[in-house]
Amino acid sequence: MASALLTPEAINRLALELPDWTLSKGKLCRQWKFNNFIEAFGFICQVDLLAEARNHHPEWSNVYATVKIELTTHDLGGISERDRDLAIAINDLGGS
């Protein structure tokens, strides 16, 4: 899917649209805390299906019950509409 980088104004609007996400080093970032590893891993599996369907894969880490996700469009060198859309889809999954 073709995509373009978001404008600085559009990136600033993300704070209103995605209040649980932060901007850090040119990436959209969010962290979740679950009750245990199984819940965290189940969430990762759900995100994997979203990412694979969009052919847009996050940077993430999982330490026991904590999942951290960072979104950026590497081939464009910043945040694009693909990152925004995946963040919205991930939010729709729920989670803590």
Side-chain angles (χ1 to χ4, degrees):
M1 170 196 321
S3 188
L5 290 175
L6 294 179
T7 64
E9 295 80 18
I11 289 172
N12 288 337
R13 285 192 303 271
L14 290 176
L16 298 173
E17 191 173 1
L18 300 165
D20 294 326
W21 293 77
T22 60
L23 294 170
S24 178
K25 299 178 184 175
K27 299 175 184 179
L28 276 174
C29 306
R30 185 165 175 200
Q31 177 174 294
W32 290 260
K33 294 231 181 230
F34 295 91
N35 292 318
N36 54 52
F37 178 78
I38 296 296
E39 287 181 14
F41 191 75
F43 177 73
I44 288 171
C45 291
Q46 291 177 50
V47 172
D48 177 60
L49 295 173
L50 293 174
E52 191 62 25
R54 289 165 174 75
N55 193 31
H56 190 57
H57 304 93
E59 297 175 21
W60 56 22
S61 66
N62 168 226
V63 178
Y64 184 61
T66 301
V67 175
K68 295 179 186 178
I69 294 180
E70 297 179 340
L71 300 174
T72 187
T73 304
H74 293 282
D75 55 340
L76 296 177
I79 298 171
S80 74
E81 192 67 26
R82 295 179 79 190
D83 302 303
R84 177 192 162 275
D85 291 346
L86 184 54
I88 290 169
I90 293 169
N91 280 352
D92 289 344
L93 291 175
S96 316

